[in-house]
Every structure is written in C-alpha cells, then in structure tokens.
C-alpha cells in the first residue's frame, strides 16, 4: 500500500491540493475525477516524476497519450520505454528472433502486431493503433504503479468492449492503476475505486463511475459526488429533447431513492454548465452527398474500400464504428474531398457547406494568439463583439477569450475549434473523435445536446458510446473494405461485437 499524508500540490503558484491524503492499494484501479483544470493531470505527473514521496522500489509508468507519430517502428516504440530500455531491448531481440514469444505482456503486444506491423513506422498508423502501441508498452513495463491519462482516446469499440467483457485489458492486474478518462464507459469497466479531486482535497470512494443505484445507496457518504453529477444532469437535460429528458427522469428517480436514504446533505455542486450552440441552417434537397461505386486505398495494393455506394443528407445522423485502422477517418476524408477515390465518384451538392472537426486542427492553432484574435484573423472584417458572441457560444467567456491559447486547456482549445467551425455555418458536420480533448463528462453532454438540437447533417467517428447513443440515429460499420448499416442501436452493437 502507498500512503501519503499531508499532500499539497501547487502549479505555477496556484494551490491544487492542500493538505490532503492519498492512499493507493495493490490490485486496485482508481479513476481520478474532478472538474477540468482542477489539476488531475498535474497530480498524475507529480506521482510519475516522484515529486511525491514514493518509495524507490515502486516503479512507475506514466502513459499520457498515444505514441507520437514518428519514423520509429512499432516494436521500437514499445521497447524504447525509458527506464527499462536496456533490459527490454535484450528481450525484444530474443523475441524478435522467435515466432512464438513468451510472457503475458509480450503476448499481448504480439497478438496485436504481426511482424510486418511491428516494423511499420508509427507515423503510418491510425490514431487507435498508436494508442495501442502505447498501452502495449505500458503492459510490457510491468510496473508497480501504472498511471494513464486518457487511455481510451482513439481506441476502437472492440478494444473498449474487451475491457468491459472480462476486464482483461490489463491482464492479471495486481498492481496499482490510476486513470483519468472522460469516458464514462471506460471508468465503469475498469475502476474499482474513485478518487475525486474537489475543493483542493482528494476524496476516495469505493466503486466505479456509475454504480447500480442500489449499490450507490449502500455506498453511504461515498455517493455524494455522484449525486452532484446527477442533479446537474437533471437540471440540464430534464427539459431537453425526449431522449435526454427520459434519461434525466430515470436519474431523478434514483436521486429520490438516495434522498430517502439520507444521502444528499453532503452534496456539493461542482459542475460548471457550459452551453454549446450551432446555428440552424435549413435544408438542401437530397442527395446531398453521394458515393457511387467508390474504391479507395492509400496504395492500390492495399484497398480500404471497394465499390462503396452510400448517401448522406441533412437529416443523417450517422456514427461510424469499426476496428482501428478500418478506415473510418479515411471515409470522412473521402467525404470532404481531402482524398479522392481511385475509382468511382463522390458527388457533393453544389451548395453544400461541410466542416470537419479533427484533433489536428487544434494542433494548428497559433498558440500565441487569443481565441478572439484568432477568430478575427480567420474572419476579418467582423466586429470584435460578433466574434466574442461566436466563441461565447462554445462556453469561452471573459479572460479565456483574450488570453494566449497556449494557456488554455486542451478542452478549451477544442472549443475554439468548434467556435471556428460553427461560424462557417456548415450544413454537414463531420466529427472525428470530437471528445478526446473535451475534458469533462458534462462538457461532452453539452456537445451532445447542441448536436441534438441542431438541424444539420452529422457523421461522427467516436469511441464514446454515450455520445453516439445521444446523437446518432444510424450506426454504420466500416470493416472488410465495406460499409454496412447496423440494424440496432449502439448498445446492441456493443453487446454483439
Ligand atoms: P482508428 O479507429 O484507429 O482511428 P480508422 O478506422 O479511422 O482508425 P484510418 O485512420 O482511416 O482508420 O486509417 C485506415 C488505414 O489507412 C490504416 O491502416 C492507416 O494506417 C492507413 N493510413 C491512414 N492515413 C494514411 C496515409 N496518409 N498514408 C498511408 N496510409 C494511411
């Protein structure tokens, strides 16, 4: 067990944690929750860098994101993990010479990467594959304390379900895991405990994010953060669309039950409501976007799609799912025209305005500019006030509008991108993993609600079931060079795949 008393943490002069306690036990998997900006990642980094008193014999692996795109091969990336590099290189040499490698962690690596894949440069992998390399690397390390910051970004559904079905993503896990994730699904599947960072203290609860109501009632005081989040949800969605309102009603019932159990005095509201808003755009007559016998591969010998026929219009609400590397992002690129079919045709309505969200947009922002300056540069000849309103629609107000974007969190930078996209008043939105950097569950709820209320067309690639569940009306599966429609909702898909 690791026990740290009187823990205080500051970041650039701001107190993040003041005189709190942290206790981590073996064979426990802790989900670290808290408002965005409260310092969750900083705490993880402090543990990872041993800024806290952690005994030397406890080795630590801190995994922050997918492996960077580089010329390093997948195998090189897996084994180049700093501390154990020499040892790992030796083992890797032996293993590379064998067809059948031993050891749980390496089995895991090899299961997922055949010889050719191992030699592929990480630059050429899809986001999901790079994340897998990073997780394979963390398994490979077999460290006492494993710290994961947003591990589900990019992971495909089969990979995520793997966690839920038998909990074996971290096989025979007898060490300590601390994880930050905005994916409620993932937290439910993986965590045995929750650490809630709130009011500069750490509170420890037993259970995952979304315990069954009865269990939550039995959890006693441990349920307070959950109650706070439910109240927020009810306030926010209770009067919204039918589907969201139904979910809010069910939460209301649970809450009433908890209140009867005397659990609500401890409630401290800590969610900040953020409203997102897209401008309604009206209709274009179908067909708006049509694929006619489209064949595509980045090389002709390795086709991702063969003779695709499909159509998207402004009533479409489509979620693309399928294994990592199947070509979901590529399908979006075919829709925008960023890549062209090798054969067949993609027809777009002459007046169609498409906007695509992907993470690389955030990387291209000029970090020295403020959100407001950026919008004024992108949309010149507009009054400042107009641009303030535009970014305000995505929850950026006051100082956040005028400070250099390098000082904004990833989540807020993503919101600048949404403001920028929305200002173009697209009729068709293509969203590629939009929630990866939206850093709290309620903000994702805001996006879901804004999309739900909006009248345009939507094609979404996301590993976030909750978002898909809230906004998609059709599920399309990209697999085996084809796109097929899933007859059922995302929850059926999850159960059946
Ligand atoms: P994920 O869920 O992992 O993000 P995806 O289904 O979105 O994956 P894509 O990103 O479309 O998959 O990639 C499909 C395949 O094409 C992958 O094997 C990827 O390595 C490859 N690929 C993607 N972009 C390029 C490129 N510019 N050049 C060559 N190959 C590429």
């Amino acid at each position: 067990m690791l026990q740290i008393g009187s823990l205080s943490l500051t970041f650039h002069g701001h107190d993040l944690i003041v005189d709190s306690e942290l206790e981590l036990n073996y064979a426990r998997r802790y989900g670290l929750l808290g408002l965005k900006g409260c310092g969750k990642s900083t705490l993880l980094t402090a543990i990872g860098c041993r800024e806290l008193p952690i005994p030397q014999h406890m080795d630590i692996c801190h995994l922050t994101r997918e492996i960077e795109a580089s010329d390093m091969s997948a195998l090189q990336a897996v084994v180049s993990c700093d501390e154990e590099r020499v040892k790992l290189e030796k083992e890797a040499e032996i293993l590379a010479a064998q067809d059948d490698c031993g050891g749980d962690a390496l089995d895991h690596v090899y299961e997922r990467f055949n010889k050719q894949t191992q030699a592929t440069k990480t630059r050429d992998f899809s986001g999901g594959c790079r994340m897998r390399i990073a997780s394979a690397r963390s398994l490979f390390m077999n460290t006492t304390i494993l710290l994961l910051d947003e591990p589900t970004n990019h992971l495909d559904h089969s990979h995520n379900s793997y966690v839920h079905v038998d909990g074996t993503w971290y096989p025979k896990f007898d060490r300590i895991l601390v994880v930050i994730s905005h994916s409620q699904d993932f937290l439910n599947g993986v965590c045995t405990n929750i650490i809630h960072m709130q009011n500069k203290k750490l509170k420890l609860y037993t259970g995952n994010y979304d315990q069954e109501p009865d269990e939550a009632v039995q959890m006693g005081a441990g349920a307070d953060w959950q109650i706070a989040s439910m109240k927020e949800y009810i306030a926010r969605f209770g009067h919204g669309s039918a589907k969201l309102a139904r979910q809010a009603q069910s939460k209301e019932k649970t809450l009433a039950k908890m209140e009867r159990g005397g659990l609500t005095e401890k409630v401290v509201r800590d969610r900040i409501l953020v409203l997102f808003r897209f401008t309604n755009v009206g209709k274009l007559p179908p067909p708006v976007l049509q694929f006619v016998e489209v064949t595509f591969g980045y090389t002709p010998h390795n086709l991702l799609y063969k003779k695709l026929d499909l159509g998207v219009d402004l009533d479409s609400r489509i979620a693309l799912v399928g294994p990592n590397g199947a070509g979901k992002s590529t399908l979006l690129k075919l829709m925008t025209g960023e890549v062209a079919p090798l054969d067949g045709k993609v027809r777009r309505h002459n007046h169609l305005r498409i906007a695509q969200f992907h993470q690389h947009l955030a990387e291209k922002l000029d970090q020295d500019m403020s959100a407001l300056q950026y919008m004024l540069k992108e949309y010149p000849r507009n009054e400042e006030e107009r641009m303030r309103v535009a970014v305000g629609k995505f929850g950026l107000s006051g100082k956040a509008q005028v400070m250099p974007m390098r000082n904004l969190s990833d989540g807020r930078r993503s919101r600048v991108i949404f403001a920028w996209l929305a200002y173009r008043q697209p009729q068709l939105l293509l969203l590629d993993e939009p929630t990866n950097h939206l850093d709290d569950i309620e903000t994702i709820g805001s996006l879901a609600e804004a999309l739900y209320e909006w009248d345009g067309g939507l094609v979404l690639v996301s590993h976030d079931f909750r978002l898909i569940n809230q906004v998609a009306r059709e599920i399309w599966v990209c697999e085996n060079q084809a796109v097929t429609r899933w007859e059922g909702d995302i929850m059926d898909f999850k159960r059946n795949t």
Side-chain angles (χ1 to χ4, degrees), residues 324-336:
N324 285 136
K328 301 177 292 294
S329 303
T330 304
L331 195 68
L332 298 187
K333 288 183 194 164
L334 282 163
M335 289 177 179
T336 57

Side-chain angles (χ1 to χ4, degrees), residues 176-431:
I176 297 168
L177 170 71
V178 187
V179 59
I180 299 172
S181 175
H182 62 254
S183 166
Q184 197 174 328
D185 245 8
F186 182 84
L187 291 173
N188 281 335
V190 167
C191 296
T192 56
N193 297 70
I194 294 291
I195 304 167
H196 192 197
M197 234 172 131
Q198 187 187 41
N199 300 332
K200 301 180 185 171
K201 299 280 178 207
L202 298 171
K203 294 190 203 165
L204 190 71
Y205 303 125
T206 309
N208 61 20
Y209 183 83
D210 205 14
Q211 289 287 319
E212 285 304 305
D214 286 344
E215 263 179 74
V217 171
Q218 287 156 18
M219 244 159 64
D224 66 346
W225 66 269
Q226 194 191 6
I227 293 169
S229 128
M230 274 199 273
K231 283 205 160 174
E232 199 67 51
Y233 194 94
I234 294 162
R236 181 146 181 66
F237 293 127
H239 307 290
S241 57
K243 189 169 181 180
L244 294 178
R246 258 202 315 280
Q247 286 173 5
Q249 275 161 14
S250 118
K251 281 188 195 285
E252 206 158 11
K253 279 190 196 145
T254 308
L255 191 59
K257 202 167 171 183
M258 293 168 101
E259 273 168 350
R260 285 198 298 278
L263 291 174
T264 51
E265 310 91 57
K266 286 177 186 282
V267 171
V268 185
R269 282 173 76 94
D270 82 348
R271 304 283 180 189
I272 294 168
L273 291 184
V274 186
L275 285 173
F276 284 14
R277 208 149 33 90
F278 294 101
T279 311
N280 282 343
V281 284
K283 292 290 160 210
L284 279 180
V288 165
L289 178 68
Q290 217 179 1
F291 279 43
V292 185
E293 302 212 330
V294 168
T295 295
F296 180 80
Y298 287 97
T299 59
H301 310 295
N302 197 358
L303 294 183
L304 283 173
Y305 293 112
K306 262 189 201 164
K307 289 190 179 285
L308 282 189
D309 287 308
L310 54 89
V312 177
D313 60 47
L314 299 193
D315 294 329
S316 298
R317 289 299 166 115
I318 300 160
L320 300 180
V321 296
N324 285 136
K328 301 177 292 294
S329 303
T330 304
L331 195 68
L332 298 187
K333 288 183 194 164
L334 282 163
M335 289 177 179
T336 57
E338 188 183 330
V339 294
L342 297 181
D343 199 10
K345 215 168 167 41
V346 176
R347 295 200 182 113
R348 288 174 210 89
H349 193 291
N350 278 342
H351 300 294
L352 176 63
R353 289 191 303 273
I354 302 185
Q356 186 183 3
F357 177 91
H358 53 76
Q359 282 310 320
H360 306 302
L361 290 175
E363 287 158 20
K364 283 183 191 143
L365 288 176
D366 182 343
Q367 305 279 342
D368 293 327
M369 283 187 169
S370 68
L372 203 54
Q373 285 168 333
Y374 177 71
M375 290 290 280
L376 284 163
K377 180 189 105 194
E378 290 291 308
Y379 302 111
R381 295 186 298 278
N382 272 298
E383 286 163 22
E384 190 175 307
E385 190 50 35
R386 208 179 157 94
M387 293 298 106
R388 279 187 189 276
V389 172
V391 289
K393 280 183 182 175
F394 288 85
L396 284 172
S397 54
K399 272 193 192 160
Q401 297 187 345
V402 290
M403 63 167 64
M405 286 189 279
R406 72 171 68 262
N407 296 344
L408 296 178
S409 66
D410 282 348
R412 287 186 165 192
R413 273 196 294 270
S414 289
R415 293 199 219 156
V416 179
I417 296 297
F418 273 112
W420 175 78
L421 284 180
Y423 194 75
R424 293 155 71 183
Q425 302 203 350
Q427 294 143 321
L428 180 61
L429 257 183
L430 310 181
L431 303 182

Side-chain angles (χ1 to χ4, degrees), residues 433-444:
E433 298 287 6
T435 59
N436 277 0
H437 291 288
L438 289 180
D439 35 19
D440 72 58
I441 287 169
E442 297 310 315
T443 311
I444 297 171

